[in-house]
Amino acid sequence: IDQDIRNYAPVTDLKDFQKLLERILEEYNSMGSTKRQMKIIMFLDACEHVARITRVLRKPQGPALLLGVGGSGRQSLSKLSIYIANHQQFQIEVTKSYGFKNWREDLKKSVLMRAGIDEKRISFLFTDTQIISENALEDINNIINSGDVPGIYAKDDKEAICLLYTSDAADEGLGVDL
């Protein structure tokens, strides 16, 4: 199913919609390692959840918070929705040595820089088991509210970002102070 023609449209036939999502799931499962494959039964409630998540992801700056009991499919349905919305997915891998410094570096390079500088559509999948500190939750709150994390960029990072966009700003007639 062509990524470019995945339009969000009203569903007129639930069975056709269910079959479409099953085909997209097959496509998703065929595109990677067996570790990545998901075995999901696309019953109607799951289809509705995928539609809702995908709708939120397609909105500009569309954060979503999904709540539910463990094993209810939030993460799997989110991964499928991320695929449907043609986003790149990022998820941290918490290990014993993973700390707040690693968190900030992952957030900066794998989420904020890729979304801002590389102009990629990124979906950051974060579960309750990945909370390493209250500061990490505060960072997520800042991203949802303002799209950035105060103090995450070093002076060198800021200068590099400004240099990338100096000519674009000048072309738009905006004053640029470095």
Side-chain angles (χ1 to χ4, degrees):
I1 300 168
D2 190 0
Q3 293 278 344
D4 296 331
I5 60 169
R6 290 189 181 163
N7 297 323
Y8 191 83
V11 174
T12 55
D13 185 334
L14 291 176
K15 290 294 180 191
D16 286 345
F17 178 58
Q18 186 175 13
K19 288 176 187 173
L20 173 66
L21 287 180
E22 287 169 354
R23 284 197 320 265
I24 292 172
L25 178 62
E26 279 181 40
E27 181 182 302
Y28 175 89
N29 285 337
S30 70
M31 293 187 56
S33 68
T34 55
K35 181 181 176 185
R36 179 184 159 176
Q37 290 187 355
M38 298 185 296
K39 295 181 177 17
I40 303 173
I41 297 171
M42 296 307 301
F43 55 93
L44 290 179
D45 282 345
C47 294
E48 289 175 4
H49 288 309
V50 168
R52 287 184 193 107
I53 297 166
T54 304
R55 183 182 69 226
V56 170
L57 290 175
R58 288 186 176 216
K59 289 183 175 187
Q61 299 176 348
L65 174 64
L66 306 179
L67 301 172
V69 296
S72 62
R74 291 180 315 273
Q75 194 169 167
S76 297
L77 295 179
S78 294
K79 288 179 180 180
L80 184 59
S81 297
I82 289 166
Y83 176 73
I84 291 169
N86 200 22
H87 285 205
Q88 292 180 4
Q89 176 190 317
F90 177 72
Q91 188 169 18
I92 63 170
E93 290 187 38
V94 178
T95 61
K96 287 182 181 182
S97 61
Y98 192 88
F100 189 69
K101 187 175 183 177
N102 303 102
W103 160 259
R104 278 281 176 102
E105 199 61 27
D106 280 345
L107 204 56
K108 180 172 67 172
K109 289 186 176 176
S110 298
V111 179
L112 299 174
M113 300 288 263
R114 282 174 53 198
I117 292 176
D118 299 337
E119 298 180 14
K120 302 290 183 192
R121 297 182 59 95
I122 305 291
S123 287
F124 179 39
L125 195 56
F126 185 73
T127 66
D128 60 338
T129 60
Q130 296 168 321
I131 300 171
I132 59 167
S133 72
E134 286 185 30
N135 291 335
L137 290 176
E138 189 173 325
D139 289 346
I140 290 175
N141 183 50
N142 283 322
I143 291 171
I144 290 171
N145 289 319
S146 69
D148 204 1
V149 177
I152 199 167
Y153 302 106
K155 185 177 181 181
D156 295 344
D157 294 329
K158 289 179 185 178
E159 288 175 359
I161 292 168
C162 286
L163 286 173
L164 280 170
Y165 292 102
T166 301
S167 64
D168 291 342
D171 291 346
E172 295 290 325
L174 303 171
V176 180
D177 293 327
L178 293 178

